[in-house]
Amino acid sequence: MRAVIAPEPGGPEALVLTERPDPEPGPGEVLVEVAATAVNRADLLQRRGFYPPPPGASDVLGLECSGTVAALGEGVEEEGRWSVGDEVCALLAGGGYATHVVVPAGQLMPLPPGIDLVTAAALPEVACTVWSNVVTVGGLRSGDTFLVHGGAGGIGTFAIQLASALGARVFTTAGSAEKRTFCEGLGAERAIDYREEDFVAVLREAGGADVVLDNMGAAYLTRNVDALATEGRLVVIGMQGGAKGELDLGRLLAKRASVHATSLRARPVEEKAAICAAVAEHVWPLVGSGAVRPIVHATLPLEQAAEAHGLLEESSHSGKVLLTPQ
């Protein structure tokens, strides 16, 4: 198979297209012929040497894919859920930037109704991340006020739509007028210019955020807590603004608020399977109805993985960047 790896840390030029033996599925696993994968910021961190794959995971980049079931490992056929030829999408611990990938059967999901095979690659990572963090951990409910940072990115565009579909008031931050207009078109009540405006003041005027989904980490920690409503929940899923910050416990106590820090990639297979099952049950119907739709900025061939990484590093994109290996 063809696959993209980063044998040495570096910029986009560090990515290397290589050939590897075709993988074989083990017990409880499925071999997928990849139709498309998506580029995530975690891939950029892995390429730079800051986010190694979990023990036992492939060193090939890529945390999600869509494709066709090519072979079944021991025990999968007996379960009767998947068959050779099924079109699927999948959450991965690694391996998506390739022509073939092995996936635990529980991390496969059917295509959402009405979504084509390539476009489906834009969904697994964002859908599982947003559902598990905003709904399961954050407890977002209809009528809540929700703030997501980086609204024009892959996570942000999905979070805006899902929270809006669930009946929440949605606020987001974005850096350009074009991106702010785009976010509001997806369902955000207000897209805040993080360069010129104070998102804390905007959220306080709105009564505070019941749930904040944050990818900035330390840089926004204090301000995110300030933006919370009473009993609000801050869920941190990234550290683009640093890993170490100062947390005023007095502010949390006064609001009876909470801070959660979570990741998805290194969770046990059983936990990821449960998240995938919940997404297929609760989120795919919203995608099928059009209430939530995948946002694809660009689709490039696998050979242009470096260019795809460059797009994310420039932050010039809105939504997801896909790679197709065929």
Side-chain angles (χ1 to χ4, degrees), residues 286-314:
L286 296 174
V287 176
S289 72
V292 178
R293 58 188 176 92
I295 306 296
V296 177
H297 177 83
T299 301
L300 302 174
L302 190 62
E303 290 80 2
Q304 294 182 22
E307 288 85 342
H309 277 223
L311 280 174
L312 259 70
E313 291 188 331
E314 294 166 2

Side-chain angles (χ1 to χ4, degrees), residues 253-309:
L253 286 169
K255 294 185 175 186
R256 304 190 300 280
S258 58
V259 178
H260 306 262
T262 77
S263 65
L264 184 59
R265 186 181 193 183
R267 293 192 189 198
V269 169
E270 296 77 12
E271 289 187 20
K272 288 190 276 192
I275 292 169
C276 289
V279 164
E281 179 181 357
H282 299 289
V283 180
W284 278 186
L286 296 174
V287 176
S289 72
V292 178
R293 58 188 176 92
I295 306 296
V296 177
H297 177 83
T299 301
L300 302 174
L302 190 62
E303 290 80 2
Q304 294 182 22
E307 288 85 342
H309 277 223

